[in-house]
Amino acid sequence: MVIMSKKHANDAKSKEYLDRYMAGVEKRNPGEPEFQQAVFEVASTIFPYIADKPEYHENQILERMAEPDRVVYFRVPWTDDAGNVRTNRGFRVQFNNAIGPYKGGLRFHPSVNLSILKFLGYEQTFKNSLTGLPIGGGKGGANFNPKGKSDNEVMRFCQSFVTELYRHIGEDTDVPAGDIGVGAREIGYMFGQYKRITNRFVGVLTGKGLEFGGSKMRTEATGYGAMFFLRNMLEHAGGGMEGMRISISGSGNVATHAAEKALQLGAKPLTLSDSGGFVYCADGFNQEQIDWVKELKNVRRGRISETADEFSNVEYHDGKRPWGVEVDCAVPSATQNEVNGEEAAMMVKNGVKAVAEAANMPCEQAAVDAFIEAGVMFGPAKAVNAGGVGVSGLEMSQNSARIAWDEDHLRGLLENMMGDIHESCVRYGTEKIGPVNYLRGANIAGFVKVADAMISYGHV
Ligand code: NDP
Ligand code: 2IT
């Protein structure tokens, strides 16, 4: 007779629960691959943790957490500059408000659909819990493509979007912010329309301009926070940021501020990209070049390829992603599923030491597995990029109290918050021996608070 150890029995039981659970999730959410992927990534680490904790099973916590509280789905009609009527789809997924008002960004991108917004809203619930602030999870957006649109077209679109959205949001109900395709310009137009419709000046959106209730450090927070987290991981393993060669994808808000902070911490940001290709600077991008890219993207709304025309030490690689460049650390900062299993295997072969997900779910599951199996330090998005929503939470606090903190104070709060998140990951992600499993640590630390709050409320 084979006698199983308690650990093996728990492993077998949790594998069986996970398979059954995922079969149910797939059945209830057909045609939503990104959402299924995000749920699997969490559930695969939570089932082993709760194997000997019956209260979570009895209360069906993981089943309840995988259903959004509600989804709002609406038509967004607008008129283009040529006078044509155009129609887009708008959404708001209010995922979970167990620990605070729904909070999370709005994405404007042609790929936006329910699967993508459900994955983002689900992830946001765990991420927001990790920040230590009282904020629940939500996400929204539209399949609107801001590329090539005039400012007036974007303004009319934003006004139409908010004309429906305004009735579903509020400073204590649901507080949206930016994400891909939604930056300072769009938040300004949306806040202006909200204020006009409701005649209220409240902190209903974050990422606002500094003139009208925005917080210092919010623009920088996601990228800076990601680099603080990467530094914390490297230092925990006995190293540091000094001299690290880093590949970064994307060239938007997150990527440019990650590059800037990497540089400030003594590392060398070697790449940036957009959906057209990537640029490589063997010397590492300097501050002047990063500022130039910010202006290119936020003001001129140009393509990253133009960087190679401007600077003689920059090469452009058309149609390619930056993962073939030999680096010490990789920081995917563009979009979901931008690193596949083969690219991860190549990065491991090239000696990558750490991967920090600054975008949301940029690594396919096969890539995550490849990094963890190879012993590469892997920082999952919900921990690495939580500084953005963290400073959004601080913007809400400042708005409620009608005060504005200074930059040094906010930078200190961000740095401490990232330090606390790193500690939570270490606490929940360390087995008796071996390296920290940051994926497990982030998922469990984010889960416990939301799950325990839900249990307190009874079966609601
Ligand atoms: P931006 O719109 O500022 O920049 C997005 C960048 O990613 C652009 O360079 C864009 O290139 C590139 N990109 C977008 N979609 C694709 C795609 N399908 N394929 C290749 N490249 C793509 O967005 P952010 O910097 O704000 O967001 C980047 C990531 O960070 C997203 O995953 C977002 O969810 C996440 N995030 C953002 C936070 C924030 O505070 N802004 C907070 C936490 C996470 P192109 O111009 O060619 O489309
Ligand atoms: O994915 C994210 O955390 C964001 N886009 C930021 C959300 C926010 O509310 O600041």
Side-chain angles (χ1 to χ4, degrees):
M1 188 173 70
V2 179
I3 301 174
M4 279 204 271
S5 72
K6 189 159 173 246
K7 173 155 184 352
H8 277 109
N10 272 351
D11 286 352
K13 200 162 64 178
S14 54
K15 167 90 177 63
E16 187 195 318
Y17 281 145
L18 175 65
D19 289 346
R20 206 176 328 136
Y21 175 75
M22 283 313 301
V25 167
E26 282 159 27
K27 197 163 155 209
R28 285 191 299 278
N29 302 279
E32 297 185 357
E34 293 86 0
F35 179 58
Q36 294 171 9
Q37 182 185 342
V39 173
F40 177 83
E41 193 207 273
V42 169
S44 63
T45 57
I46 299 297
F47 273 114
Y49 174 71
I50 63 173
D52 57 354
K53 299 178 181 63
E55 67 275 21
Y56 293 122
H57 295 280
E58 284 155 14
N59 283 287
Q60 293 272 297
I61 288 296
L62 277 171
E63 286 75 5
R64 284 156 62 193
M65 284 178 88
E67 290 297 335
D69 289 353
R70 71 187 62 75
V71 175
V72 186
Y73 172 20
F74 51 99
R75 177 171 70 238
V76 189
W78 57 284
T79 309
D80 68 21
D81 288 345
N84 303 307
V85 181
R86 310 278 289 263
T87 307
N88 286 97
R89 275 182 187 175
F91 303 85
R92 185 71 182 164
V93 178
Q94 297 184 328
F95 220 103
N96 188 304
N97 70 351
I99 64 166
Y102 306 108
K103 178 86 197 86
L106 296 170
R107 177 176 290 192
F108 291 169
H109 192 272
S111 64
V112 161
N113 59 32
L114 200 52
S115 173
I116 290 179
L117 295 180
K118 279 170 68 181
F119 118 63
L120 289 163
Y122 177 81
E123 288 252 315
Q124 197 83 44
T125 304
F126 295 86
K127 183 197 305 189
N128 293 4
S129 165
L130 276 175
T131 66
L133 298 171
I135 41 182
K139 201 83 186 188
N143 65 344
F144 173 74
N145 186 359
K147 270 193 212 123
K149 304 288 190 302
S150 70
D151 286 352
N152 274 332
E153 288 176 324
V154 171
M155 178 182 75
R156 287 194 292 274
F157 177 83
C158 288
Q159 290 176 340
S160 181
F161 185 81
V162 166
T163 300
E164 172 58 33
L165 185 69
Y166 89 94
R167 71 191 81 242
H168 307 291
I169 60 177
E171 69 279 22
D172 294 322
T173 315
D174 183 355
V175 183
D179 194 79
I180 292 177
V182 176
R185 173 182 63 171
E186 291 74 18
I187 294 288
Y189 293 148
M190 288 193 271
F191 187 74
Q193 183 73 351
Y194 181 87
K195 188 169 68 61
R196 184 175 172 215
I197 296 176
T198 62
N199 195 25
R200 298 172 76 238
F201 194 113
V202 289
V204 68
L205 292 168
T206 61
K208 299 184 291 298
L210 297 181
E211 309 76 17
F212 52 94
S215 173
K216 296 231 172 77
M217 285 309 286
R218 174 62 189 90
T219 308
E220 299 85 351
T222 312
Y224 280 21
M227 289 305 98
F228 289 140
F229 195 90
L230 175 62
R231 181 195 57 190
N232 294 342
M233 289 202 298
L234 293 168
E235 288 180 352
H236 188 77
M241 285 285 273
E242 194 64 41
M244 288 285 115
R245 297 162 305 160
I246 303 187
S247 55
I248 298 174
S249 61
S251 47
N253 170 278
V254 178
T256 52
H257 292 100
E260 182 167 298
K261 184 51 77 182
L263 189 63
Q264 290 169 10
L265 295 175
K268 269 193 181 182
L270 296 187
T271 68
L272 290 168
S273 74
D274 63 17
S275 52
F278 80 92
V279 283
Y280 169 67
C281 179
D283 307 320
F285 288 99
N286 61 31
Q287 188 61 49
E288 182 207 339
Q289 291 171 319
I290 295 169
D291 288 341
W292 191 90
V293 172
K294 284 188 194 170
E295 207 259 346
L296 170 77
K297 288 291 173 178
N298 296 328
V299 183
R300 292 197 285 120
R301 299 187 189 273
R303 308 305 300 157
I304 199 69
S305 58
E306 295 169 43
T307 319
D309 304 331
E310 180 70 16
F311 300 101
S312 60
N313 64 347
V314 175
E315 290 167 14
Y316 176 61
H317 297 262
D318 192 42
K320 296 224 162 66
R321 305 199 273 213
W323 312 129
V325 174
E326 207 177 296
V327 288
D328 304 299
C329 308
V331 183
S333 310
T335 192
Q336 66 276 354
N337 292 330
E338 53 166 322
V339 182
N340 64 31
E342 281 163 27
E343 288 163 320
M346 174 173 61
M347 291 155 82
V348 168
K349 198 160 146 250
N350 285 342
V352 75
K353 294 184 184 67
V355 175
E357 291 191 314
N360 285 311
M361 204 169 74
C363 298
E364 290 184 2
Q365 187 64 47
V368 176
D369 294 342
F371 292 133
I372 292 180
E373 270 161 34
V376 171
M377 270 176 267
F378 175 75
K382 8 179 129 49
V384 173
N385 72 31
V389 74
V391 175
S392 275
L394 301 176
E395 183 171 331
M396 290 165 69
S397 311
Q398 293 170 82
N399 290 166
S400 307
R402 304 271 191 266
I403 53 172
W405 293 325
D406 68 33
E407 195 173 313
D408 286 345
H409 181 58
L410 281 153
R411 190 182 302 101
L413 292 176
L414 171 64
E415 202 168 345
N416 287 343
M417 191 186 297
M418 298 315 296
D420 291 346
I421 295 172
H422 180 265
E423 259 178 44
S424 301
C425 292
V426 171
R427 177 169 159 221
Y428 285 103
T430 310
E431 297 247 52
K432 283 190 192 81
I433 44 162
V436 183
N437 183 329
Y438 286 93
L439 180 69
R440 187 169 60 218
N443 286 343
I444 298 173
F447 166 81
V448 167
K449 195 165 133 193
V450 177
D452 291 352
M454 288 175 77
I455 290 175
S456 307
Y457 299 143
H459 301 162
V460 293

